Amino acid sequence: MTEGTGPRGIGGWLILPMIGLIIAPFRLAISLIATAVQLVSDGTWETLTTPGSDAYHPLWAPLLVLESAGNAVFMVTAIVLLVPFFSKHACFPRLMILYMTASLLFVSVDHAAIYLIPAAVAFAEGNPSKEVVRNALSAAIWIPYFLRSVRVKNTFVNGGLCRWL
């Protein structure tokens, strides 16, 4: 198939990343709010970050702050990515690949950091390894899709080349 022929437009498998980008900010906001409410309302923050308390570890505060900040950045980034997605900007596939790669890296580092604090595994939501596997599988499927899909090449054509990426 030559460039420009074949499927184009937001349809087919491209609907799934679109749904993911729309849902991600809500999922991350709910997680951030739930975590913040729990940390503040029941005194968990003080227990984990006050030297001398039974659950204190010097890495708790940086881990919790960086995890919250990272989730906030990914929440905002998902919202921002909707603009080039719906405007069918040529930069979108590269930006999406960057987003997925950064997400996998962030979740992997966060997962590794949890194991630096012995008591952290008990506080982790569910099984933290599941999030790493989910992000790795997502990246393994969608990065090649954004690199090779004819629909992606034919859809994201507006705005010229992305020389800065």
Side-chain angles (χ1 to χ4, degrees):
M1 243 182 253
T2 61
E3 190 172 326
T5 62
R8 70 177 44 199
I10 298 171
W13 289 107
L14 203 48
I15 295 293
L16 295 177
M18 178 191 72
I19 292 169
L21 281 176
I22 291 170
I23 291 173
F26 295 104
R27 183 180 55 82
L28 290 167
I30 290 167
S31 175
L32 278 169
I33 292 167
T35 300
V37 167
Q38 178 188 358
L39 285 173
V40 174
S41 67
D42 65 4
T44 302
W45 175 262
E46 289 79 18
T47 302
L48 298 176
T49 61
T50 303
S53 74
D54 292 337
Y56 173 76
H57 193 283
L59 293 177
W60 265 123
L63 175 65
L64 293 169
V65 169
L66 289 173
E67 185 175 302
S68 296
N71 283 331
V73 166
F74 282 105
M75 179 179 70
V76 170
T77 304
I79 294 167
V80 170
L81 277 173
L82 290 169
V83 174
F85 179 83
F86 285 114
S87 65
K88 300 176 185 171
H89 198 282
C91 286
F92 176 76
R94 291 183 192 170
L95 292 171
M96 189 65 177
I97 290 168
L98 266 165
Y99 177 78
M100 288 185 290
T101 303
S103 179
L104 176 59
L105 182 63
F106 175 76
V107 169
S108 298
V109 169
D110 185 52
H111 176 69
I114 286 172
Y115 289 98
L116 294 175
I117 305 171
V121 178
F123 284 98
E125 293 178 18
N127 182 351
S129 298
K130 286 182 183 177
E131 189 72 12
V132 174
V133 171
R134 186 182 70 77
N135 274 265
L137 285 173
S138 179
I141 292 167
W142 293 110
I143 289 174
Y145 175 78
F146 280 105
L147 290 171
R148 295 194 175 107
S149 168
V150 172
R151 179 178 296 276
V152 168
K153 286 181 178 97
N154 290 339
T155 299
F156 299 103
V157 295
N158 297 334
L161 298 175
C162 304
R163 295 176 197 195
W164 47 274
L165 282 177

